[in-house]
CSV table of all heavy atoms in Angstrom, one decimal:
chain,number,residue,atom,x,y,z
A,131,VAL,N,9.5,14.6,2.8
A,131,VAL,CA,10.5,13.6,2.7
A,131,VAL,C,11.0,13.6,1.3
A,131,VAL,O,10.3,13.3,0.4
A,131,VAL,CB,10.0,12.2,3.1
A,131,VAL,CG1,11.1,11.2,2.8
A,131,VAL,CG2,9.7,12.2,4.6
A,132,GLY,N,12.3,14.0,1.1
A,132,GLY,CA,12.8,14.0,-0.2
A,132,GLY,C,13.8,12.8,-0.6
A,132,GLY,O,14.0,12.0,0.3
A,133,GLU,N,14.3,12.8,-1.8
A,133,GLU,CA,15.1,11.8,-2.3
A,133,GLU,C,16.4,11.6,-1.4
A,133,GLU,O,16.9,10.5,-1.2
A,133,GLU,CB,15.5,12.0,-3.7
A,133,GLU,CG,16.3,10.9,-4.4
A,133,GLU,CD,15.6,9.7,-4.6
A,133,GLU,OE1,14.4,9.8,-5.0
A,133,GLU,OE2,16.1,8.6,-4.4
A,134,ALA,N,16.9,12.8,-1.0
A,134,ALA,CA,18.2,12.8,-0.2
A,134,ALA,C,18.1,12.0,1.1
A,134,ALA,O,18.9,11.2,1.4
A,134,ALA,CB,18.7,14.2,0.1
A,135,VAL,N,17.0,12.2,1.8
A,135,VAL,CA,16.8,11.5,3.1
A,135,VAL,C,16.5,10.0,2.9
A,135,VAL,O,16.9,9.2,3.6
A,135,VAL,CB,15.8,12.2,4.0
A,135,VAL,CG1,14.4,12.0,3.4
A,135,VAL,CG2,15.8,11.6,5.4
A,136,ILE,N,15.8,9.7,1.8
A,136,ILE,CA,15.5,8.3,1.5
A,136,ILE,C,16.8,7.6,1.2
A,136,ILE,O,17.1,6.5,1.6
A,136,ILE,CB,14.6,8.2,0.3
A,136,ILE,CG1,13.1,8.7,0.6
A,136,ILE,CG2,14.5,6.7,-0.3
A,136,ILE,CD1,12.4,7.8,1.6
A,137,GLN,N,17.7,8.2,0.4
A,137,GLN,CA,19.0,7.6,0.0
A,137,GLN,C,19.8,7.4,1.3
A,137,GLN,O,20.5,6.4,1.5
A,137,GLN,CB,19.7,8.5,-1.0
A,137,GLN,CG,19.1,8.4,-2.4
A,137,GLN,CD,19.0,7.1,-3.0
A,137,GLN,OE1,19.9,6.2,-2.8
A,137,GLN,NE2,17.9,6.8,-3.8
A,138,ALA,N,19.8,8.4,2.2
A,138,ALA,CA,20.6,8.3,3.4
A,138,ALA,C,20.0,7.2,4.3
A,138,ALA,O,20.8,6.5,4.9
A,138,ALA,CB,20.5,9.6,4.2
A,139,ALA,N,18.7,7.0,4.3
A,139,ALA,CA,18.1,6.0,5.1
A,139,ALA,C,18.5,4.6,4.5
A,139,ALA,O,18.8,3.6,5.3
A,139,ALA,CB,16.6,6.1,5.1
A,140,MET,N,18.5,4.5,3.2
A,140,MET,CA,18.9,3.2,2.5
A,140,MET,C,20.4,2.9,2.9
A,140,MET,O,20.7,1.7,3.1
A,140,MET,CB,18.7,3.3,1.0
A,140,MET,CG,17.2,3.4,0.6
A,140,MET,SD,16.9,3.6,-1.1
A,140,MET,CE,17.6,2.0,-1.8
A,141,VAL,N,21.2,3.9,2.9
A,141,VAL,CA,22.6,3.6,3.3
A,141,VAL,C,22.7,3.1,4.7
A,141,VAL,O,23.5,2.2,5.0
A,141,VAL,CB,23.5,4.9,3.1
A,141,VAL,CG1,24.9,4.7,3.7
A,141,VAL,CG2,23.6,5.3,1.6
A,142,GLU,N,21.9,3.8,5.6
A,142,GLU,CA,21.9,3.4,7.0
A,142,GLU,C,21.4,2.0,7.2
A,142,GLU,O,22.0,1.2,8.0
A,142,GLU,CB,21.1,4.4,7.8
A,142,GLU,CG,21.0,4.1,9.3
A,142,GLU,CD,22.4,4.2,10.0
A,142,GLU,OE1,23.3,4.8,9.4
A,142,GLU,OE2,22.4,3.7,11.2
A,143,VAL,N,20.3,1.6,6.5
A,143,VAL,CA,19.8,0.3,6.6
A,143,VAL,C,20.8,-0.8,6.1
A,143,VAL,O,21.0,-1.8,6.7
A,143,VAL,CB,18.4,0.2,5.8
A,143,VAL,CG1,18.0,-1.3,5.8
A,143,VAL,CG2,17.4,1.0,6.5
A,144,LYS,N,21.4,-0.4,5.0
A,144,LYS,CA,22.4,-1.4,4.3
A,144,LYS,C,23.6,-1.6,5.3
A,144,LYS,O,24.1,-2.7,5.3
A,144,LYS,CB,22.8,-0.8,3.0
A,144,LYS,CG,23.7,-1.7,2.2
A,144,LYS,CD,24.1,-1.1,0.9
A,144,LYS,CE,22.9,-1.0,-0.1
A,144,LYS,NZ,23.3,-0.6,-1.4
A,145,ARG,N,23.9,-0.6,6.0
A,145,ARG,CA,25.0,-0.7,7.0
A,145,ARG,C,24.7,-1.7,8.1
A,145,ARG,O,25.6,-2.4,8.6
A,145,ARG,CB,25.3,0.7,7.6
A,145,ARG,CG,26.6,0.7,8.5
A,145,ARG,CD,26.8,2.1,8.9
A,145,ARG,NE,25.8,2.6,9.9
A,145,ARG,CZ,25.8,2.3,11.2
A,145,ARG,NH1,26.7,1.5,11.7
A,145,ARG,NH2,24.8,2.7,11.9
A,146,LYS,N,23.4,-1.8,8.4
A,146,LYS,CA,23.0,-2.7,9.5
A,146,LYS,C,22.5,-4.1,9.1
A,146,LYS,O,22.6,-5.0,9.8
A,146,LYS,CB,21.9,-2.0,10.3
A,146,LYS,CG,22.3,-0.7,11.0
A,146,LYS,CD,21.2,-0.1,11.8
A,146,LYS,CE,21.6,1.2,12.5
A,146,LYS,NZ,20.4,1.8,13.2
A,147,LYS,N,21.9,-4.1,7.9
A,147,LYS,CA,21.3,-5.4,7.5
A,147,LYS,C,21.6,-5.7,6.0
A,147,LYS,O,21.7,-4.8,5.2
A,147,LYS,CB,19.7,-5.3,7.6
A,147,LYS,CG,19.2,-5.0,9.0
A,147,LYS,CD,17.7,-4.9,8.9
A,147,LYS,CE,17.1,-4.5,10.2
A,147,LYS,NZ,15.6,-4.3,10.2
A,148,ALA,N,21.7,-6.9,5.7
A,148,ALA,CA,21.8,-7.4,4.3
A,148,ALA,C,20.4,-7.7,3.8
A,148,ALA,O,20.0,-8.9,3.9
A,148,ALA,CB,22.8,-8.6,4.2
A,149,LEU,N,19.8,-6.8,3.2
A,149,LEU,CA,18.4,-7.0,2.7
A,149,LEU,C,18.4,-7.1,1.2
A,149,LEU,O,18.8,-6.1,0.5
A,149,LEU,CB,17.5,-5.9,3.1
A,149,LEU,CG,17.3,-5.7,4.6
A,149,LEU,CD1,16.3,-4.6,4.9
A,149,LEU,CD2,16.8,-7.0,5.3
A,150,PRO,N,18.1,-8.2,0.6
A,150,PRO,CA,18.2,-8.4,-0.9
A,150,PRO,C,17.4,-7.4,-1.7
A,150,PRO,O,17.8,-7.1,-2.8
A,150,PRO,CB,17.7,-9.9,-1.1
A,150,PRO,CG,17.8,-10.5,0.2
A,150,PRO,CD,17.7,-9.5,1.3
Side-chain angles (χ1 to χ4, degrees):
V131 171
E133 184 71 39
V135 69
I136 291 291
Q137 291 299 325
M140 290 176 68
V141 170
E142 179 65 15
V143 171
K144 187 177 292 187
R145 187 177 67 82
K146 295 179 179 179
K147 302 177 183 178
L149 300 182

